[in-house]
Amino acid sequence: MSHKKIAIVTGASSGIGKLLAEGLPARYALDELWLVARSEDRLLALGQKLSVPVRALALDLTKEESIARLKALLSEEMPDVRILINASGYGKFERFDRIGEEDAAGMADLNCRALTLVMHAALPHCSEGSMIVNIASVAAFQPVPFGAEYAATKAYVLALSRAVNLELRPRGVRVLAVCPYWTKTAFFDRANRESVITHFDCMYDPAFIAKKTFLAMKRKKDYVVPGFVAKATHALTKLLPHSLVMRVFLAQQKLKNK
Ligand SMILES: NC(=O)c1ccc[n+]([C@@H]2O[C@H](COP(=O)([O-])OP(=O)(O)OC[C@H]3O[C@@H](n4cnc5c(N)ncnc54)[C@H](OP(=O)(O)O)[C@@H]3O)[C@@H](O)[C@H]2O)c1
């Protein structure tokens, strides 16, 4: 019996995840697309637009039962997971001691714990040539004052992705970490409500991030930093001491209520 070929995209209801989900059917031979996020209506609306059958999974990935549901579905249907894209994530930009407990736990829960558990759930169903794409951030390359926890979660995503990519080489399964700079998405609706950082110097189009992600998937890279400003930032974080990088970052931002 042949297993149906699927892609799973978390964070598919909006922004980078949505654009990646939209771009998959034209690039990969898939029998089904599993779309994950909390907003079922948006997943269903996206499903209507796509040329492959879609399964809309309205799951809050910070909840244990959501991971259990995904695992159970995978065990029941035994698909061949050709692609997993982990794009669910969020950030808060605030002094750490002023972040509410819910978000202090929530960022690590979604950006790290859920991403890890979804990878772990999908891997038994991956086969040679399968690919995992984790959306990290340029924030992964340096400590970010007033985005301290967010950046730390993304450093985790980058380190996990690159090391697991090497570990999984014998299985022929690849892991790619994508490290975007600021990107114009609903990310800022959630981040901005009480944000200390009020000025975001350069904003990329999420379509550009998606395009570069697909290119990196094709080129079998283990991480990609899309765009010149992002690449320049990355280079500086490698060249300069992080104490200086953090001071430069602070000087660039317009901070309120510091
Ligand atoms: N925008 C940027 O500047 C930027 C830069 C670098 C990296 N990133 C990263 O890129 C990824 C995508 O973000 P985006 O910019 O596209 O922002 P976005 O438009 O806000 O998308 C975030 C996605 O995560 C989903 N999500 C949020 N909470 C969730 C939960 N508890 N369970 C399941 N899904 C959840 C959201 O769907 P629901 O609300 O429907 O659940 C949405 O689909 C994130 O990991 C983000 O950290 C963003």
Side-chain angles (χ1 to χ4, degrees):
M1 193 188 79
S2 76
H3 300 265
K4 68 179 168 196
K5 295 183 193 312
I6 71 159
I8 305 173
V9 183
T10 79
S13 65
S14 165
I16 298 169
K18 182 174 180 224
L19 284 166
L20 289 171
E22 280 175 354
L24 281 174
R27 291 172 171 84
Y28 296 92
L30 297 167
D31 299 314
E32 234 176 66
L33 206 51
W34 292 14
L35 305 179
V36 183
R38 293 166 304 173
S39 318
E40 188 172 31
D41 51 339
R42 288 201 228 146
L43 297 179
L44 290 170
L46 174 58
Q48 302 268 314
K49 285 175 38 186
L50 299 179
S51 55
V52 287
V54 158
R55 182 174 293 223
L57 298 170
L59 301 173
D60 180 342
L61 290 173
T62 60
K63 301 228 156 51
E64 229 155 88
E65 60 266 26
S66 298
I67 304 291
R69 166 123 171 81
L70 183 63
K71 278 172 79 173
L73 263 177
L74 287 166
S75 303
E76 271 162 38
E77 307 214 354
M78 295 300 285
D80 179 2
V81 180
R82 304 308 299 153
I83 296 169
L84 162 65
I85 297 178
N86 273 306
S88 282
Y90 81 104
K92 286 278 172 188
F93 299 103
E94 176 52 285
R95 213 176 72 181
F96 181 71
D97 60 349
R98 294 192 187 126
I99 292 177
E101 194 177 280
E102 198 182 323
D103 286 320
M107 268 184 273
D109 278 354
L110 183 62
N111 302 359
C112 301
R113 189 169 191 274
L115 174 139
T116 307
L117 291 176
V118 172
M119 271 174 85
H120 205 256
L123 271 168
H125 304 275
C126 290
S127 58
E128 192 170 356
S130 292
M131 225 177 319
I132 296 174
V133 178
N134 291 331
I135 310 299
S137 166
V138 280
F141 300 121
Q142 65 170 91
V144 175
F146 299 98
E149 186 182 350
Y150 176 67
T153 66
K154 294 303 182 177
Y156 171 91
V157 174
L158 177 65
L160 180 81
S161 304
R162 296 194 72 192
V164 174
N165 178 59
L166 208 62
E167 288 176 9
L168 294 179
R169 217 170 249 184
R171 277 187 62 186
V173 175
R174 287 185 286 118
V175 185
L176 164 70
V178 183
C179 301
Y181 202 79
W182 305 126
T183 305
K184 205 177 281 181
T185 68
F187 177 87
F188 292 96
D189 299 343
R190 197 165 177 187
N192 256 356
R193 221 159 286 153
E194 307 102 23
S195 176
V196 169
I197 302 173
T198 57
H199 169 73
F200 298 93
D201 50 354
C202 164
M203 279 278 182
Y204 281 94
D205 185 332
F208 173 78
I209 306 298
K211 191 175 102 182
K212 293 292 181 184
T213 300
F214 284 125
L215 205 62
M217 288 166 76
K218 215 163 118 187
R219 290 184 177 162
K220 306 191 174 178
K221 290 192 160 209
D222 70 340
Y223 79 106
V224 60
V225 186
F228 176 78
V229 175
K231 281 187 172 56
T233 303
H234 176 217
L236 288 177
T237 61
K238 282 170 100 172
L239 287 172
L240 301 173
H242 282 180
S243 52
L244 179 60
V245 168
M246 283 194 286
R247 280 205 297 277
V248 170
F249 175 81
L250 282 178
Q252 281 175 331
Q253 312 305 318
K254 292 194 173 68
L255 299 171
K256 65 168 188 196
N257 307 324
K258 202 159 84 151

